[in-house]
Amino acid sequence: MTAPARFKKQERIVSQKLIEELFSGNQSQSLAVFPLRAVYMQRERQEGQEPVEVLVSVSKKRFHHAVDRNRVKRQIREAYRLQKQMLIEQVPDGQAVEIAFIWLSDQHRPSAEVSTKVCHLLERIARKVRH
């Protein structure tokens, strides 16, 4: 039996410099599958860095209450945690992929739908990273 997938702290993007670099648009690319948009960037992997790092963002403009924003973020993180291996296997050695998931809707969606959309985005990113 394999160990359950974990979403470790090292897999999260917390560096303000890295976030600015990701959203500056110089090397980053964007994909959308409503209600999600993924902004991602491929770069050289640093010593001890995870092959894929993730940021999840839900705007206060979309959901005014923190409980609603937290629910959506939890759904996205869980969907990513369960399906991240498909992307990690496609990342070339010495490379890292930084991904920001941004929620575009002002409505809640079922977890199964969120999971499907995250899977679709990860597959598309995996195809682009591989080439």
Side-chain angles (χ1 to χ4, degrees), residues 43-58:
R43 57 190 218 137
E44 295 293 319
R45 190 181 330 175
Q46 307 299 318
E47 181 86 24
Q49 182 184 8
E50 295 291 325
V52 179
E53 293 180 340
V54 175
L55 168 77
V56 177
S57 174
V58 180

Side-chain angles (χ1 to χ4, degrees), residues 18-61:
L18 187 56
I19 293 170
E20 288 172 10
E21 192 177 331
L22 185 60
F23 287 107
S24 69
N26 294 341
Q27 302 138 341
S28 60
Q29 297 176 329
S30 178
L31 299 169
V33 176
F34 194 80
L36 279 169
R37 180 164 73 108
V39 177
Y40 70 97
M41 165 177 82
Q42 189 173 357
R43 57 190 218 137
E44 295 293 319
R45 190 181 330 175
Q46 307 299 318
E47 181 86 24
Q49 182 184 8
E50 295 291 325
V52 179
E53 293 180 340
V54 175
L55 168 77
V56 177
S57 174
V58 180
S59 172
K60 205 181 265 193
K61 185 170 97 176

Side-chain angles (χ1 to χ4, degrees), residues 39-129:
V39 177
Y40 70 97
M41 165 177 82
Q42 189 173 357
R43 57 190 218 137
E44 295 293 319
R45 190 181 330 175
Q46 307 299 318
E47 181 86 24
Q49 182 184 8
E50 295 291 325
V52 179
E53 293 180 340
V54 175
L55 168 77
V56 177
S57 174
V58 180
S59 172
K60 205 181 265 193
K61 185 170 97 176
R62 307 279 181 216
F63 293 107
H64 301 293
H65 300 281
V67 65
D68 295 323
R69 290 191 301 275
N70 291 341
R71 175 178 179 227
V72 173
K73 287 192 272 188
R74 206 168 33 248
Q75 285 178 309
I76 296 168
R77 282 194 305 263
E78 179 66 3
Y80 169 75
R81 181 186 73 82
L82 293 173
Q83 301 169 36
K84 68 181 178 177
Q85 201 57 40
M86 120 178 68
L87 176 60
I88 291 172
E89 291 168 355
Q90 301 299 325
V91 177
D93 290 338
Q95 295 287 305
V97 177
E98 320 292 342
I99 305 173
F101 289 108
I102 302 159
W103 188 258
L104 302 174
S105 175
D106 56 1
Q107 301 288 316
H108 285 288
R109 300 275 196 238
S111 293
E113 181 182 343
V114 173
S115 184
T116 302
K117 304 298 180 157
V118 168
C119 180
H120 188 67
L121 285 170
L122 291 176
E123 286 172 349
R124 288 173 64 188
I125 293 170
R127 276 197 303 264
K128 296 205 179 205
V129 164

